[in-house]
Amino acid sequence: MYESAVGRKLPSLNALKTFESAARNLSFSGAAAELNVTQAAVSRQIKLLEEDLGVQLFRRLTRAVQLTEEGISLYPPLRDALDQIELAAARVWNSGDSGLLTISVLPTFSVKWLMPRLLGFAEQYPGVEIHLVNSIKPVDFDREDIDLAIRAGSLDQNRPDQRRPRIDLNMVKSWEGVSAEFLMPDELVAVMAPGYRDPAADPIDERTLSEVTLLQMATRPNAWPDFFEAMGWRVPGGRSGPSFGHFFLALQAAIEGRGIALLPQVLALDDLRAGRIVQALPVRVRSAGDYYLLGRSSLWDRKNVKLFRDWLLTEIRQSEPWATEK
């Protein structure tokens, strides 16, 4: 048992690391290969740990080992603790100006808005390499090896604006130690292929809504009802249509004339400007959330993080002047 000057009592960290490997592999020989030591060395470390803790952690069988109840109890929290140590060390190793910036981005925002503009960042800052990770999951800065994230949602998840279309996804697992920078509002527009329906000769309203197909989003199941309610329309419930897991799939379905998609305007802008789609309804409705850049507060002013933050805000102001209106 090791006791520090401040009274913290810990078993040998080497023995704990050896136990975690053996428990994960359920094999002393597998742990030996992973740790690049002999099987006898693994056995000695496990025995030392068992003597230190005063319990048996493994049942030694003829050709295998099994965790005892005490071993089963120790393994998960030890594995998580070592994961945290590994992540913390990686952050320190990468905390300098290593040139690599890993950003978790919503898939359609990545494809339709960010990626086409990243060439400009690369030309301006050739020493910074951007690594994009596409995900819609809540960001977990404690467990994910990422520097920044772009998500849409509300900063006050417990008190969303009930008058606006809901966003049903959380942005982060925990807000502790997380900073957020407003990027742009999440404004919804209904779009369709130019030939799907003539809005001038045959406008869509409450009476003719049953004549069109409404493309659904699995991640925002309340989008259409909330959108119509915000418009003041009284639309009977139960309307359904093909459902998609990502906005870019719903957008492509709309381009192909398969129905009307409800999208954040920022994701539809390029296709609207190119004429591949048109607005099915002459309105845009702001949702209960906004787009944010998220990051660890402790690294918020790190050089490469700040370079990307400043570039992103400038790009938004220059390319989408409407987007910075809070």
Side-chain angles (χ1 to χ4, degrees), residues 274-287:
R276 288 185 287 270
I277 51 175
V278 296
Q279 281 194 232
L281 297 166
V283 295
R284 68 176 192 244
V285 174
R286 187 165 178 174
S287 81

Side-chain angles (χ1 to χ4, degrees), residues 1 11 46-57 70:
M1 181 77 69
I46 298 298
K47 186 177 180 181
L48 287 172
L49 183 60
E50 289 176 326
E51 291 175 351
D52 202 359
L53 296 175
V55 298
Q56 185 178 353
L57 298 172
E70 291 80 7

Side-chain angles (χ1 to χ4, degrees), residues 101-115 118 130-137 139 144 146 148-152 183 246 248 267 291-294 308 312:
L101 205 58
T102 303
I103 308 171
S104 175
V105 189
L106 297 166
T108 306
F109 187 90
S110 175
V111 172
K112 300 300 294 183
W113 196 91
L114 183 58
M115 288 180 64
L118 274 181
I130 299 294
H131 177 209
L132 294 184
V133 178
N134 290 334
S135 175
I136 64 172
K137 295 179 180 179
V139 183
E144 296 180 76
I146 58 174
L148 294 167
I150 296 176
R151 291 292 188 272
L183 297 179
H246 294 290
F248 64 81
L267 307 182
Y291 281 88
Y292 290 93
L293 180 67
L294 310 172
F308 183 81
L312 182 62

Side-chain angles (χ1 to χ4, degrees), residues 24 39 41 55 61 68 85 92 104 126 142 153 155 168-169 188 193 209 222 261 288 296 307-309 318:
R24 176 161 37 82
Q39 186 171 339
V55 298
L61 306 178
T68 63
I85 293 171
V92 173
S104 175
D142 289 332
L155 291 181
D168 299 289
L169 296 175
L188 301 177
L209 196 60
N222 300 300
R296 297 181 183 86
L307 284 177
F308 183 81
R309 285 171 52 204
Q318 292 178 347

Side-chain angles (χ1 to χ4, degrees), residues 14 26 55 62 78 110 178 189 210 262 285 300 303:
N14 190 39
L26 283 179
V55 298
T62 304
L78 176 61
S110 175
V178 176
V189 292
S210 60
L262 188 61
V285 174
W300 197 236
K303 180 180 177 181

Side-chain angles (χ1 to χ4, degrees), residues 156-174:
D156 191 350
Q157 197 68 32
N158 296 321
R159 299 178 59 188
D161 191 334
Q162 300 297 330
R163 299 166 298 174
R164 295 177 176 177
R166 287 163 278 184
I167 295 181
D168 299 289
L169 296 175
N170 293 330
M171 289 194 285
V172 296
K173 284 280 189 181
S174 170

Side-chain angles (χ1 to χ4, degrees), residues 181-183 308-317:
E181 181 110 54
F182 171 85
L183 297 179
F308 183 81
R309 285 171 52 204
D310 292 344
W311 170 84
L312 182 62
L313 291 173
T314 300
E315 189 68 25
I316 290 171
R317 283 194 298 268

